[in-house]
Amino acid sequence: MGKDEIGLLRAYAKLKTGLKVWSHHPSSGLPRGSTGAAPRQQAGECVLAIGRTEQTLMAFLFSVSVPAAWLYPFGTKEGDQECVQRTVDFNSPLFKPEIGFPFGNSLQDALYFTDNGQIIFPPTDNYVPSNPNPPPQGFSGQEGLPMVAAFWDDADFSRGVGTTWYQEYSTLSSIRDPLVHDVEAKIKKYLKIPYVAKWTLKVTWEKAPAYPSQRNDTQTSTYQAVLTTDGNRSFTLLLYQDGGMRWDYTKLAADNVLIGFSSGNGCAQNNELTQKPAAVKYRPDQHSSAGTDVRGLWIYRLDSRSRVNYRLQCLAWLDAEPSPAAWNARLPPCPCSWPQAELDPRFRHSAGPADASMRMLRTASPSPAGAGVRCLYRDGSLLEGWQERAWSLPIHPATDGELEAFDWCCQRIGKPLFCARFAEKRPRVGCEGYVPPTPAGAFGDPHITTMDGLTYTFNGLGDFALLLARDAQTSFVLHGRTARTGMAQATNFVAFAAQYISTTTTTVEWTLGSQGDIQVLLNHETVQFSYSQDMGAQVYYSPGVLLVNASSVMAVFDGAIAISISAASRILSVVCSLPDQYRNSTKGLLGAVGGHSLFTQPLDLPAMNFTPIFLSRLRQEDESQYQLAASQCCGSKACIYDSLSTGDMALGLATQSFTADFQQKKTVLNAFPPVITGDPSLTAFRTERVRRQYRAVGLGAHFVPHLSPELNISESGTLTWEPHGTAPLTINLEAVGSNNLSALLQLHFTLCSCSRIQECDYSNTVTVGGSSLQLAACRCEGSYSGPFCQDPLDPCAQGCFPGVHCDSLAGCGPCPSGLTGDGQHCSGDKGLPWPLGHPWDPPRVLLPVPCCIASADIDECAQGAACPGNTTCTNTVGSYACSCPAGEQGEGPGCGSACESRSCPTGYCSNGGHCRLHPITCTPSCTCPPAFTDQRCLVAGGDFRPLPSAGLPRRSVGLRVRMLRNATAEEVNGTVSAILGSLEVKAFQCNSNITQMTDGYGYTFAVVSEFAYDSRGTVIQFLNEELPGAITSAFNRHWGQREAGTHLLFQCLHRDNITDLVKLTVAELRHYFPCNLYGYKGYQLHYVGTAGFVCISPCKKGYCQHGGQCQHLPEGPTCSCLPFSVFSPAGARCEQLAISFTAFLSILLVILALLCLSLALVCLASHLCRQQRRQHQGARDTFWMPQPFSCEYIPATPPHTSSASPQSSLTSDHLPHSSSDNGRRARRSHPLSLRGKTLGTAAPAYLSLSPDEDPETPHQASEPAPPAALACH
């Protein structure tokens, strides 16, 4: 110890001696030996001064004896992000750890920190308040916002002093940062808990000034908070810079700094310094917590119960999985229908979901990379399929890691993003490109069907090569052995052997046993089958081959080649299936196997002179027997032959049955369902109607209709979705073909129920009740909050200064006497400027905006910023403020009240609205309840929570509680009430019917506990689904402990000690939540899983059609129909459309104008046509008519003739003739009666013809003169 420290110890010893002297005379207040009287007040001040000196000395001595904890490095060089806004209050961006953050009994999704030393976990992304004033009494565990308080008090970064830093560390993989290593080491050292972090957040408040701050503030505080979790447990480390905690607590308006945490659901802890004097609690850097050996470090565990974090398990699995490209080569698609799947030997049955309508298939063998495919079918139709990297053995279903991962990521979490990431690692598979296997078979007295469908009978005797197939990597050989069928001149198969060569060689033999059974050898060793619960059959697996012993014994080689052997009537039959890769690369039955045989036992005596008998000979020998066999075999030649050759009709009929079954399977394998085309994803906003057209391709394909209030599907594939609520929705589009095979298309619905469409965040969704419906998140605009941005600004959300009342409509009241401020921030110096710009500004809800660093400040006061009244302008960093002169204070613009002589008119605001005067214009305005949308609280339409009716039953459970000693009913009631009152959801009301029972297990009491329902969805879900488990956990967490205020011990509580007495479903609860809070009719009650019961106006559900404006009045929703285009809507809901009279007249005039224009064009065209014809048509001097007629010649008026004499008599002199001969020729050719004249070649005139008498034989008319023209009408 140094000389300075020794000197301090001596001074401390002398000080303690002096204190003892003072304590000897407590009554006099004077030291021994003093003369005269001294006031008690002076003596008390002296003692107080000595006490402070002692505290200072003790703190100093403690600081030199205990080392200080170091803050973790921070700043830009350490990779930290700076976050600061030069305002009195600001928040950080939201942090969203993928694995969540366990806090208390909950798994939190998001968090943010504030400038006031808080780390807050908000219920939604849209509600991020910041309260600068900690509660004087500390945390109770029932706070509305879960938070960690690193150093919660009113800080002020608005004057350019101080900043904050943060950095996230995601360590799901094995890579560790040195900081994370040190955090893990501290937790292990001080809490004795082995720990490996998966996510860590470091937040540093550097030189944080107290409110109100100054430009050159040096009395600042620097501290850190580190939050860390492994997904199941969570911790926080609070570190305080040695000598860096320098707030002058003597000048603070309130010294309620708070350190600790509260989960908001009953779990809380206050730092032991919280109840100490300000000189202690404002200097945490000079103190240490119990269990640590350093100053300025506190470590808290934040979770209160162990849990399975499925997010963590899913993310860890995703992180460990390689890309599918590394393993998914050569994987087949799924069969398109369940009938196909049952007959495709490359797939096998697997235990699927508990739903009886669902069936699951898996590939029978793994691919060369060890991968496989799963296919899921519903009612015979393919629903979905996916690839799996880790093909598991059918005899070990409990170790199916693929299904576990699917369950974690797609079933347990309820966040579609995790399932989408699972699909990236396990690609979805349909039936596109599916090619059914091509079967070949041999049965009976052997009748063979080849790969290409050729059928023939082969009666060879001995060992034969039935099939040889080869590609670049593999080869396959199938041998068959035949023997005589009894004493007949016929043969049948008695053994088969198959060999598959890839990276290894696998040989399987099937031999007909003496009892008609099948003996199986694998690589010349006997196979011992085991029962597979997953497949429901006897199986045996060896790398490269799967053997299944059911009605037949099947071997599947590498999931590609399948050989199925069955026995009937002491004859073996074979069905072989090859994949498409061997097409045009096969051959078989090349003759007897003269070289290497696959059979373990060689052929006994090769027959060299066996001659089979043929059907033609059998018929010649006995025609009558042939006809009898033909009638019984229905014409099947294979059946007839086997019956006649063996003399056994049963054998022939078995052959006929096998043949029909084989052909039926080939038909089923090649039958395909329709193919549905169209986008399966649909998105809608609230009550928007969405229409989508789908197509089904296939013979006779049509869609299965579906009708419901929200979704309709027509037979032609037209889908209409008009959502009315957020109830779970699962619909599959189904199309059926003429072959009765159906195809399914899974539809995915995304609904946005936000108040405004621009608030929808379709990239962030949650699954509703495990269905196909997803709810989009809402990004609230302005000051709205809530799950659907339906809640307006709450002026009290930010909290008020201690002792200041908050009105739910007006906000914080004035600061306490002697303090200045806006009611939220208060200080003791009245000359300081208002921190929020103007004292009459309403409280603000801080939205999660990205932090930014302020640029060069602009002096708004120098630029002429006007402060109202007699206030003084003061420049601040990033803004300016207006303040009153010393001794004056006001609520309006300027100092003194501008509206002090006025008040709101009586009844100005209806339905509980709060009236207030505008601070400048003194005009009244209303702050309305959430249900009202107008300025006077008269027009409803907003959403609101209903209040329960008086007859709402309580949720009741019966408890059987065993005490460790005898107790009274009051003691039991107090103990049980204390435990139930600590449940996560505060719904406990009371206990009743407390009865002591005698059951031989000690002191047992029966208790009926009652809980209150309300409209919140969290309460309803908790009471209906989680209450028994929560009660059990709460009791067992306190097992063997005395509850606060009691001295009663109790035993462990089991689940069967809890009995449900009264529990109401959501449907039953609907009757107790009427939407009549304000007397407005027509509101509809909706239940949203996350929000609970909400009363929604039909105006928000598209009540008014065709663009009508909806107002919700006391009598119900009312529509104001507005004309649009040429239509005028009418009706109560604007559902009727009519054309307006003005529009009708306008349309009629336009049509008439078009008709007139058309007629004018027709007349013009006709006139032009006549002119054209007159110019090009020559005069005709002969006419032919089919009946007698007479002519009247009417000459045209010459140009020089007067209009008064339009017509003159016609004489021969008016007719121009080239000569008299021409006239005579005309008269001879056309003896027509024309008023006694003969018509010859005429000048232009009008000729009138009328039927008269039969003309004479017509002759060819003479050619008219070139200038003449003849027109007839």
Side-chain angles (χ1 to χ4, degrees):
M1 184 178 292
K3 293 182 178 180
D4 294 339
E5 297 172 15
I6 294 174
L8 286 169
L9 287 175
R10 290 175 177 173
Y12 176 65
K14 292 181 179 180
L15 179 64
K16 293 292 290 183
T17 304
L19 290 174
K20 291 180 181 178
V21 172
W22 279 97
S23 64
H24 290 165
H25 302 275
S27 60
S28 65
L30 293 173
R32 181 177 297 177
S34 299
T35 59
R40 282 186 178 270
Q41 184 177 3
Q42 294 179 359
E45 289 176 353
C46 182
V47 173
L48 179 61
I50 294 174
R52 287 180 177 174
T53 306
E54 180 184 15
Q55 290 177 356
T56 304
L57 285 172
M58 288 295 293
F60 180 79
L61 292 175
F62 181 80
S63 66
V64 299
S65 61
V66 179
W70 292 90
L71 267 62
Y72 291 109
F74 59 89
T76 305
K77 293 183 179 179
E78 303 300 327
D80 290 358
Q81 297 289 325
E82 186 175 10
C83 175
V84 66
Q85 297 177 36
R86 298 308 177 187
T87 56
V88 175
D89 289 314
F90 66 87
N91 294 342
S92 74
L94 282 173
F95 303 96
K96 296 186 176 182
E98 286 187 303
I99 62 175
F101 193 89
F103 197 6
N105 296 326
S106 305
L107 187 65
Q108 301 290 340
D109 289 327
L111 63 142
Y112 63 96
F113 65 86
T114 74
D115 63 322
N116 299 313
Q118 305 161 284
I119 299 177
I120 300 176
F121 298 81
T124 69
D125 296 357
N126 304 316
Y127 183 68
V128 285
S130 174
N131 186 346
N133 303 293
Q137 70 279 8
F139 287 123
S140 66
Q142 307 304 324
E143 284 70 22
L145 282 175
M147 75 171 67
V148 172
F151 192 75
W152 182 10
D153 207 346
D154 194 359
D156 181 9
F157 290 80
S158 64
R159 294 305 187 90
V161 178
T163 188
T164 65
W165 306 88
Y166 68 89
Q167 185 172 175
E168 278 187 275
Y169 304 85
S170 181
T171 50
L172 278 173
S173 59
S174 59
I175 301 175
R176 290 286 189 275
D177 187 274
L179 180 144
V180 178
H181 274 300
D182 188 76
V183 170
E184 295 168 344
K186 281 184 169 60
I187 293 173
K188 182 177 181 180
K189 176 180 179 181
Y190 295 120
L191 299 184
K192 312 301 181 186
I193 300 176
Y195 174 73
V196 178
K198 300 298 183 183
W199 181 86
T200 303
L201 173 68
K202 177 189 67 178
V203 182
T204 306
W205 289 264
E206 182 185 13
K207 297 182 178 179
Y211 174 85
S213 67
Q214 306 296 323
R215 288 185 178 275
N216 57 352
D217 209 335
T218 59
Q219 293 180 317
T220 60
S221 293
T222 300
Y223 53 97
Q224 277 182 344
V226 177
L227 269 66
T228 181
T229 180
D230 63 0
N232 299 314
R233 299 167 296 178
S234 58
F235 305 89
T236 184
L237 283 69
L238 307 180
L239 301 103
Y240 304 91
Q241 187 180 63
D242 186 24
M245 307 298 292
R246 297 196 295 267
W247 278 17
D248 187 352
Y249 49 84
T250 63
K251 295 183 179 180
L252 299 178
D255 54 0
N256 297 321
V257 66
L258 184 56
I259 300 172
F261 68 90
S262 171
S263 67
N265 51 27
C267 181
Q269 187 166 349
N270 295 299
N271 187 282
E272 57 266 28
L273 304 182
T274 301
Q275 302 303 324
K276 299 292 181 66
V280 176
K281 62 183 178 182
Y282 277 89
R283 299 292 184 263
D285 58 316
Q286 301 302 316
H287 302 274
S288 65
S289 64
T292 63
D293 54 2
V294 293
R295 292 179 288 109
L297 170 63
W298 272 264
I299 305 178
Y300 296 111
R301 181 170 177 174
L302 301 178
D303 65 288
S304 61
R305 66 179 179 89
S306 59
R307 61 172 51 81
V308 178
N309 190 329
Y310 293 107
R311 300 186 201 180
L312 173 63
Q313 292 181 324
C314 175
L315 290 170
W317 180 86
L318 292 171
D319 188 63
E321 285 297 309
S323 169
W327 51 265
N328 67 350
R330 298 178 60 181
L331 288 178
C334 290
C336 295
S337 68
W338 179 253
Q340 280 181 327
E342 284 188 303
L343 299 177
D344 193 332
R346 297 170 295 181
F347 294 85
R348 64 173 178 84
H349 292 263
S350 180
D355 189 350
S357 65
M358 305 283 282
R359 299 178 182 178
M360 183 180 290
L361 284 184
R362 297 182 64 191
T363 45
S365 296
S367 69
V373 170
R374 288 182 192 262
C375 307
L376 194 63
Y377 296 83
R378 180 189 293 275
D379 297 327
S381 303
L382 177 64
L383 188 62
E384 64 176 333
W386 63 92
Q387 298 173 345
E388 55 182 6
R389 185 177 75 90
W391 184 90
S392 58
L393 296 176
I395 56 177
H396 299 296
T399 59
D400 194 344
E402 295 283 327
L403 279 184
E404 281 185 340
F406 176 80
D407 183 58
W408 297 336
C409 299
C410 296
Q411 302 293 330
R412 298 284 187 173
I413 299 176
K415 292 181 177 292
L417 179 62
F418 284 83
C419 197
R421 294 185 60 181
F422 174 85
E424 294 175 359
K425 297 291 187 177
R426 296 294 181 265
R428 292 294 192 260
V429 176
C431 74
E432 295 82 6
Y434 172 74
V435 178
T438 304
F443 41 87
D445 196 5
H447 307 287
I448 296 176
T449 301
T450 63
M451 296 287 178
D452 54 0
L454 177 66
T455 60
Y456 64 94
T457 298
F458 177 76
N459 261 308
L461 182 63
D463 292 351
F464 298 90
L466 300 180
L467 183 64
L468 298 101
R470 182 185 303 273
D471 65 3
Q473 292 83 25
T474 63
S475 65
F476 175 76
V477 179
L478 176 64
H479 287 179
R481 173 174 291 177
T482 61
R484 289 188 65 175
T485 307
M487 300 304 294
Q489 290 298 105
T491 60
N492 61 267
F493 284 110
V494 294
F496 295 96
Q499 186 177 78
Y500 180 75
I501 302 175
S502 56
T503 56
T504 59
T505 300
T506 303
T507 303
V508 180
E509 296 180 59
W510 297 262
T511 305
L512 183 65
S514 59
Q515 304 299 321
D517 57 336
I518 301 176
Q519 305 293 326
V520 183
L521 298 178
L522 174 61
N523 295 328
H524 313 294
E525 299 289 339
T526 302
V527 173
Q528 298 295 328
F529 288 95
S530 301
Y531 183 77
S532 169
Q533 190 73 31
D534 186 41
M535 293 183 61
Q538 299 284 335
V539 300
Y540 181 87
Y541 177 77
S542 179
V545 63
L546 173 70
L547 299 173
V548 182
N549 185 5
S551 59
S552 62
V553 181
M554 181 173 62
V556 182
F557 299 92
D558 258 359
I561 301 174
I563 306 296
S564 178
I565 308 297
S566 58
S569 302
R570 301 191 61 79
I571 294 177
L572 293 186
S573 301
V574 61
V575 175
C576 174
S577 298
L578 290 185
D580 200 55
Q581 67 194 63
Y582 292 109
R583 186 178 295 275
N584 300 323
S585 301
T586 61
K587 53 185 177 180
L589 281 179
L590 300 180
V593 180
H596 173 68
S597 174
L598 298 181
F599 293 102
T600 302
Q601 295 295 330
L603 195 62
D604 295 334
L605 293 174
M608 306 303 296
N609 57 355
F610 174 76
T611 303
I613 190 170
F614 295 98
L615 182 61
S616 59
R617 179 181 171 184
L618 292 171
R619 182 172 186 178
Q620 291 175 358
E621 291 178 352
D622 195 338
E623 177 67 25
S624 61
Q625 192 69 23
Y626 177 87
Q627 294 299 333
L628 179 61
S631 64
Q632 295 189 21
C633 291
C634 300
S636 170
K637 291 186 177 181
C639 172
I640 297 171
Y641 177 79
D642 288 3
S643 300
L644 296 179
S645 63
T646 63
D648 187 353
M649 179 56 67
L651 178 61
L653 294 176
T655 299
Q656 179 189 16
S657 176
F658 193 97
T659 303
D661 184 65
F662 181 80
Q663 294 299 329
Q664 175 66 21
K665 289 180 179 178
K666 288 185 64 176
T667 302
V668 172
L669 279 171
N670 289 281
F672 285 85
V675 177
I676 302 176
T677 59
D679 187 359
S681 299
L682 298 99
T683 301
F685 170 71
R686 294 176 71 89
T687 58
E688 173 190 8
R689 177 178 294 179
V690 178
R691 186 181 298 271
R692 189 70 56 80
Q693 183 66 45
Y694 295 90
R695 294 186 57 204
V697 181
L699 184 62
H702 63 277
F703 289 94
V704 177
H706 174 85
L707 295 176
S708 69
E710 294 191 4
L711 189 138
N712 294 328
I713 301 173
S714 68
E715 192 171 349
S716 62
T718 301
L719 181 148
T720 304
W721 179 36
E722 188 173 1
H724 299 308
T726 57
L729 175 65
T730 298
I731 295 293
N732 295 317
L733 195 64
E734 182 177 7
V736 181
S738 58
N739 55 7
N740 288 327
L741 293 178
S742 62
L744 294 178
L745 180 65
Q746 288 194 88
L747 299 177
H748 304 282
F749 304 91
T750 303
L751 174 64
C752 174
S753 292
C754 305
S755 298
R756 290 161 289 276
I757 191 171
Q758 63 269 20
E759 296 171 334
C760 301
D761 182 6
Y762 292 105
S763 64
N764 182 13
T765 60
V766 294
T767 303
V768 179
S771 68
S772 299
L773 177 64
Q774 300 175 15
L775 274 182
C778 301
R779 299 187 303 264
C780 297
E781 296 182 342
S783 56
Y784 280 84
S785 62
F788 306 121
C789 305
Q790 78 278 13
D791 297 331
L793 169 69
D794 180 5
C796 298
Q798 305 292 76
C800 298
F801 190 82
V804 175
H805 173 71
C806 184
D807 186 274
S808 60
L809 299 175
C812 296
C815 290
S817 177
L819 301 178
T820 60
D822 61 350
Q824 182 183 20
H825 302 271
C826 296
S827 66
D829 189 344
K830 300 180 181 179
L832 291 176
W834 290 100
L836 292 181
H838 301 287
W840 50 84
D841 286 344
R844 298 171 297 148
V845 173
L846 301 178
L847 299 178
V849 296
C851 292
C852 57
I853 306 302
S855 58
D857 182 52
I858 299 174
D859 190 345
E860 293 86 356
C861 296
Q863 294 184 352
C867 283
N870 56 343
T871 56
T872 303
C873 180
T874 304
N875 183 57
T876 62
V877 178
S879 183
Y880 69 97
C882 300
S883 59
C884 293
E888 295 188 19
Q889 184 174 348
E891 299 177 355
C895 300
S897 176
C899 303
E900 59 184 4
S901 60
R902 302 186 186 182
S903 62
C904 285
T906 303
Y908 183 81
C909 301
S910 303
N911 295 301
H914 179 75
C915 180
R916 61 187 304 175
L917 298 178
H918 191 277
I920 298 177
T921 63
C922 297
T923 56
S925 62
C926 298
T927 303
C928 299
F932 299 95
T933 58
D934 66 324
Q935 297 181 354
R936 298 285 299 276
C937 312
L938 289 172
V939 179
D943 301 345
F944 66 89
R945 289 187 180 276
L947 295 178
S949 61
L952 175 62
R954 289 180 175 179
R955 173 77 163 98
S956 301
V957 295
L959 306 180
R960 291 169 58 91
V961 183
R962 297 190 180 102
M963 301 299 168
L964 296 181
R965 66 171 179 82
N966 197 7
T968 64
E970 290 76 13
E971 291 176 318
V972 174
N973 180 48
T975 301
V976 175
S977 297
I979 295 174
L980 298 183
S982 67
L983 294 180
E984 176 181 355
V985 174
K986 305 305 175 184
F988 173 71
Q989 295 296 305
C990 65
N991 297 315
S992 61
N993 298 333
I994 302 176
T995 307
Q996 186 170 5
M997 304 174 62
T998 304
D999 56 2
Y1001 293 99
Y1003 306 101
T1004 303
F1005 288 82
V1007 182
V1008 176
S1009 299
E1010 298 181 2
F1011 301 81
Y1013 284 108
D1014 65 23
S1015 62
R1016 292 174 296 169
T1018 54
V1019 174
I1020 296 173
Q1021 181 179 2
F1022 175 81
L1023 294 181
N1024 283 353
E1025 301 178 12
E1026 305 172 15
L1027 181 60
I1031 294 175
T1032 304
S1033 300
F1035 267 85
N1036 296 339
R1037 187 167 60 245
H1038 298 276
W1039 177 33
Q1041 301 177 7
R1042 289 185 173 88
E1043 291 305 307
T1046 70
H1047 299 281
L1048 194 58
L1049 299 176
F1050 52 87
Q1051 297 180 7
C1052 181
L1053 186 72
H1054 299 282
R1055 178 62 182 84
D1056 54 5
N1057 298 134
I1058 304 174
T1059 304
D1060 285 326
L1061 300 179
V1062 177
K1063 181 168 69 172
L1064 302 182
T1065 65
V1066 172
E1068 293 170 333
L1069 286 170
R1070 285 181 176 273
H1071 303 294
Y1072 299 99
F1073 288 95
C1075 292
N1076 57 4
L1077 179 59
Y1078 300 101
Y1080 279 60
K1081 299 178 181 179
Y1083 264 89
Q1084 299 172 355
L1085 184 68
H1086 292 261
Y1087 184 81
V1088 181
T1090 55
F1093 286 111
V1094 179
C1095 293
I1096 300 178
S1097 170
C1099 290
K1100 288 193 174 182
K1101 297 291 185 178
Y1103 181 80
C1104 298
Q1105 302 179 20
H1106 302 115
Q1109 293 183 352
C1110 187
Q1111 287 186 322
H1112 203 128
L1113 301 177
E1115 59 272 14
T1118 302
C1119 297
S1120 299
C1121 303
L1122 302 176
F1124 63 95
S1125 184
V1126 299
F1127 299 103
S1128 293
R1133 300 179 60 181
C1134 305
E1135 71 277 7
Q1136 303 172 5
L1137 282 181
I1139 300 177
S1140 65
F1141 181 72
T1142 303
F1144 175 75
L1145 290 179
S1146 300
I1147 293 173
L1148 184 61
L1149 291 175
V1150 170
I1151 293 175
L1152 291 175
L1154 290 175
L1155 288 175
C1156 293
L1157 180 60
S1158 299
L1159 289 174
L1161 291 175
V1162 170
C1163 293
L1164 179 61
S1166 176
H1167 178 68
L1168 293 176
C1169 178
R1170 286 198 298 270
Q1171 285 185 348
Q1172 187 72 14
R1173 290 175 61 188
R1174 288 168 183 167
Q1175 292 176 4
H1176 297 286
Q1177 182 176 359
R1180 301 177 183 234
D1181 55 353
T1182 60
F1183 295 88
W1184 177 84
M1185 298 294 289
Q1187 55 183 333
F1189 59 88
S1190 62
C1191 297
E1192 180 182 2
Y1193 188 87
I1194 304 172
T1197 304
H1200 59 276
T1201 305
S1202 173
S1203 59
S1205 304
Q1207 188 173 355
S1208 61
S1209 59
L1210 180 63
T1211 63
S1212 61
D1213 298 332
H1214 294 115
L1215 301 177
H1217 300 285
S1218 58
S1219 64
S1220 60
D1221 293 335
N1222 290 337
R1224 286 190 296 269
R1225 285 195 297 271
R1227 285 192 293 272
R1228 286 193 302 268
S1229 301
H1230 304 278
L1232 303 178
S1233 174
L1234 182 61
R1235 293 187 181 180
K1237 301 293 183 181
T1238 300
L1239 178 63
T1241 303
Y1246 290 96
L1247 182 63
S1248 175
L1249 303 178
S1250 60
D1252 189 6
E1253 57 185 2
D1254 294 334
E1256 297 189 15
T1257 304
H1259 298 278
Q1260 183 68 32
S1262 61
E1263 184 177 359
L1270 183 63
C1272 298
H1273 294 276

